[in-house]
Amino acid sequence: MKIPSRIFSFPRFLKILQSLHLPTRPAGGNVKQVRSKTSDPAAHARHTDAVELFGKFYPCDDHTNVTPKILSKVGKSLQNQRNHPLWLLKERIKDHFYTSYLSRHRNPLFSVYDNLSPVVTTEQNFDSLLIPPDHASRRKGDNFYLNQSHMLRAHTSAHQRDLIRAGLNAFLVFGDVYRRDEIDKSHYPVFHQLEGVRLFTKYELFANVQHGEELHLFEKGYRTSCKQESHTLEAVKLLEFDLKQTLNKVVTHLFGKGLDTRWVECYFPFTHPSFEMEIKFQGEWLEVLGCGIMEQQLVNSAGAQDRVGYAFGLGLERLAMILYGIPDIRLFWSEDERFYRQFQVTHIDQKVTFQPFSKYPPLVNDISFWIPHEGYEENDFYDLVRNIGGDLVEKVALIDRFSHPKTGKMSHCYRITYRHTERTLTQEEVNATHRDIERSSVEKLGVEGRF
Ligand code: PHE
């Protein structure tokens, strides 16, 4: 099947991008930091005056917490690397949307973006989505900030408002997103999402309903800056039906029939009601997407007052891991040809089942320390381990907490599993890394070692 590569004419595409103030990314984006005052990479970001990313300078302040390791991933755009499993998944999803959803003029309904800059303002990432100023999701411990005003997007939802404002009624955004998180085989601080948004006018939503012309999107009421009109029951139910059907179809397109899925209700500040879809995989229910009906206040703030809509966000690594049987999320960053050669397909629908190359043996080392009374965040430790151990670290688990009965001091013990995906590690190599982690934890996090 032929896949249209661009839906807009190039001038229109540029115009929309300009109106968004979102620069397209130069291939292999230039990522570098300036005026480093220290040679220690882990301390780099905090001790420089500014972070340079895609040719722009972001002055450091007390929010700056991006690390060199994270910055080295920005601009890799795995979703755009031909024959990468995330690219392959993207192409299959695009193909599905391009062939299943056509506009009145028989053009693809959904516009596709896969190259929007992951550097966004905190306003785009949070405020534009009605996330309150004191909301827990803004925590420094959970996000990568360039400084107080700019960050690496934590989700592709950061673009919803701007793309609607640019006049789009149906779009898909594929992109890399960044979150500080635990370390295990399904969590990595950079992963990829697909955002989808679809808006409807009253004529579109009720087009196939008997006596649809008598139905309305909103209840009779009024709208102020702090009150939104309420959606009618018919509008909500039709949107919910269309949303779940759209997502059920894309999942069936990817996996075929017979997959065990379920819907659960959940909460996002920018959709109501909100849902998650879970897929049963190897006996466990895995959450693969979040979605919901867009809060009307958001739609209105983007200038689409006469429309209602829904949005969804899919986790691409999760889907690819289930689809291709990829056992460890670090493999997506692998440069080992035994990995990427397996995804060199001649047609995007060719079935691929990943053949794991033999797992090299793990080496396990524990680390215990007394944590300081204030200011210690578990994610600071995980970042530090990633900075030093890189992809040698497969997993870090907090296996014991202990509070000293007399001093009241709290001790944490973490179990670090080291394993290279491409070769056997030696004990000396691991020891050297482990000692570095011990030393750095004392220096950078103010912990007291129990080594
Ligand atoms: N942005 C949400 C997340 O990252 C997912 C989502 C997207 C939820 C769109 C609702 C609508 O978890």
Side-chain angles (χ1 to χ4, degrees):
M1 199 153 303
K2 187 152 172 355
I3 307 157
S5 60
R6 195 179 282 130
I7 305 162
F8 288 122
S9 66
F10 197 60
R12 168 122 197 264
F13 175 76
L14 277 183
K15 210 162 143 221
I16 287 184
L17 277 179
Q18 278 156 7
S19 73
L20 292 174
H21 302 292
L22 296 168
T24 43
R25 286 192 271 173
N30 168 29
V31 180
K32 104 175 177 253
Q33 293 187 6
V34 288
R35 293 191 286 278
S36 165
K37 287 177 189 153
T38 165
S39 56
D40 180 347
H44 221 72
R46 292 193 182 96
H47 295 273
T48 49
D49 299 326
V51 177
E52 184 191 352
L53 209 41
F54 300 124
K56 278 202 177 160
F57 291 90
Y58 300 89
C60 294
D61 59 25
D62 63 340
H63 263 62
T64 310
N65 66 354
V66 284
T67 61
K69 194 107 218 157
I70 285 300
L71 291 174
S72 74
K73 308 282 183 198
V74 180
K76 294 256 189 228
S77 299
L78 299 182
Q79 75 278 8
N80 297 337
Q81 288 186 25
R82 230 188 138 71
N83 292 318
H84 188 280
L86 295 175
W87 173 87
L88 203 52
L89 184 58
K90 176 187 81 173
E91 290 303 320
R92 292 193 62 201
I93 295 175
K94 269 166 61 180
D95 184 40
H96 171 72
F97 277 95
Y98 282 164
T99 49
S100 310
Y101 300 91
L102 297 176
S103 72
R104 267 182 297 145
H105 311 291
R106 313 223 42 87
N107 290 320
L109 184 70
F110 285 85
S111 318
V112 175
Y113 292 85
D114 58 14
N115 201 21
L116 297 178
S117 172
V119 178
V120 297
T121 61
T122 50
E123 196 277 334
Q124 290 173 303
N125 197 83
F126 300 116
D127 305 70
S128 80
L129 293 158
L130 316 170
I131 298 174
D134 54 354
H135 197 264
S137 63
R138 296 183 186 243
R139 280 162 31 98
K140 259 172 78 178
D142 291 338
N143 296 287
F144 288 107
Y145 285 95
L146 297 178
N147 57 28
Q148 282 202 8
S149 56
H150 287 81
M151 63 188 294
L152 298 174
R153 65 184 162 211
H155 51 182
T156 41
S157 304
H159 303 295
Q160 278 185 15
R161 193 256 335 255
D162 294 345
L163 290 167
I164 297 175
R165 214 177 246 174
L168 299 178
N169 291 314
F171 56 85
L172 303 176
V173 178
F174 293 87
D176 36 338
V177 300
Y178 298 77
R179 291 188 201 171
R180 299 180 72 194
D181 219 330
E182 57 208 274
I183 303 179
D184 65 26
K185 64 182 183 340
S186 62
H187 289 90
Y188 201 80
V190 192
F191 59 101
H192 296 74
Q193 285 187 329
L194 160 62
E195 189 79 13
V197 167
R198 183 165 180 194
L199 299 181
F200 300 81
T201 61
K202 130 181 175 172
Y203 308 103
E204 288 161 347
L205 191 65
F206 301 131
N208 301 316
V209 178
Q210 236 189 1
H211 307 302
E213 62 290 345
E214 289 163 24
L215 299 176
H216 300 279
L217 295 180
F218 306 108
E219 293 290 359
K220 235 193 297 159
Y222 65 100
R223 197 185 270 176
T224 66
S225 56
C226 46
K227 287 195 176 141
Q228 64 182 33
E229 277 167 303
S230 77
H231 294 142
T232 59
L233 181 68
E234 296 82 3
V236 173
K237 287 298 155 197
L238 279 171
L239 281 171
E240 184 179 327
F241 177 78
D242 199 90
L243 168 63
K244 288 183 174 167
Q245 181 172 262
T246 300
L247 293 167
N248 284 334
K249 277 190 181 159
V250 70
V251 167
T252 309
H253 173 74
L254 293 173
F255 292 90
K257 292 212 171 70
L259 188 74
D260 215 353
T261 62
R262 68 181 186 192
W263 287 102
V264 283
E265 231 174 291
C266 65
Y267 169 79
F268 298 108
F270 40 95
T271 52
H272 183 81
S274 308
F275 310 95
E276 278 169 357
M277 183 198 272
E278 297 180 338
I279 294 184
K280 196 164 196 178
F281 182 61
Q282 297 179 340
E284 264 184 71
W285 286 102
L286 292 176
E287 173 200 316
V288 292
L289 64 88
C291 65
I293 297 174
M294 295 176 81
E295 286 287 355
Q296 196 57 33
Q297 206 183 322
L298 201 171
V299 179
N300 295 346
S301 74
Q305 283 83 349
D306 56 337
R307 291 178 158 82
V308 294
Y310 55 67
F312 52 85
L314 276 68
L316 296 180
E317 275 84 351
R318 284 267 172 97
L319 289 172
M321 286 170 86
I322 301 173
L323 192 57
Y324 302 121
I326 299 172
D328 189 317
I329 198 164
R330 290 175 300 163
L331 286 164
F332 289 96
W333 298 90
S334 170
E335 285 174 6
D336 188 323
E337 68 162 42
R338 286 172 304 167
F339 178 71
Y340 59 78
R341 231 194 11 226
Q342 298 194 33
F343 299 94
Q344 310 271 313
V345 291
T346 47
H347 188 284
I348 56 167
D349 284 324
Q350 194 176 315
K351 192 169 156 46
V352 179
T353 307
F354 178 66
Q355 303 296 327
F357 20 98
S358 63
K359 263 203 160 188
Y360 294 95
L363 286 167
V364 176
N365 279 16
D366 291 350
I367 176 169
S368 305
F369 43 69
W370 299 108
I371 62 172
H373 280 301
E374 269 177 19
Y376 175 82
E377 298 249 14
E378 263 175 59
N379 279 344
D380 288 337
F381 179 66
Y382 298 140
D383 278 350
L384 183 142
V385 174
R386 281 211 192 274
N387 276 326
I388 297 173
D391 287 355
L392 293 189
V393 179
E394 177 175 87
K395 184 173 172 167
V396 182
L398 177 57
I399 54 167
D400 190 35
R401 282 172 214 262
F402 164 74
S403 167
H404 194 283
K406 290 220 178 91
T407 61
K409 282 203 290 190
M410 176 68 101
S411 160
H412 280 185
C413 177
Y414 295 88
R415 174 154 298 165
I416 306 183
T417 308
Y418 297 88
R419 192 201 311 254
H420 203 291
T421 50
E422 287 145 25
R423 62 185 170 80
T424 301
L425 288 173
T426 65
Q427 188 66 58
E428 287 103 73
E429 204 176 346
V430 166
N431 286 350
T433 306
H434 201 73
R435 295 286 100 77
D436 273 354
I437 292 174
E438 289 177 348
R439 214 173 309 122
S440 265
S441 308
V442 173
E443 259 171 44
K444 307 262 159 53
L445 306 179
V447 306
E448 193 187 321
R450 304 179 67 195
F451 318 135

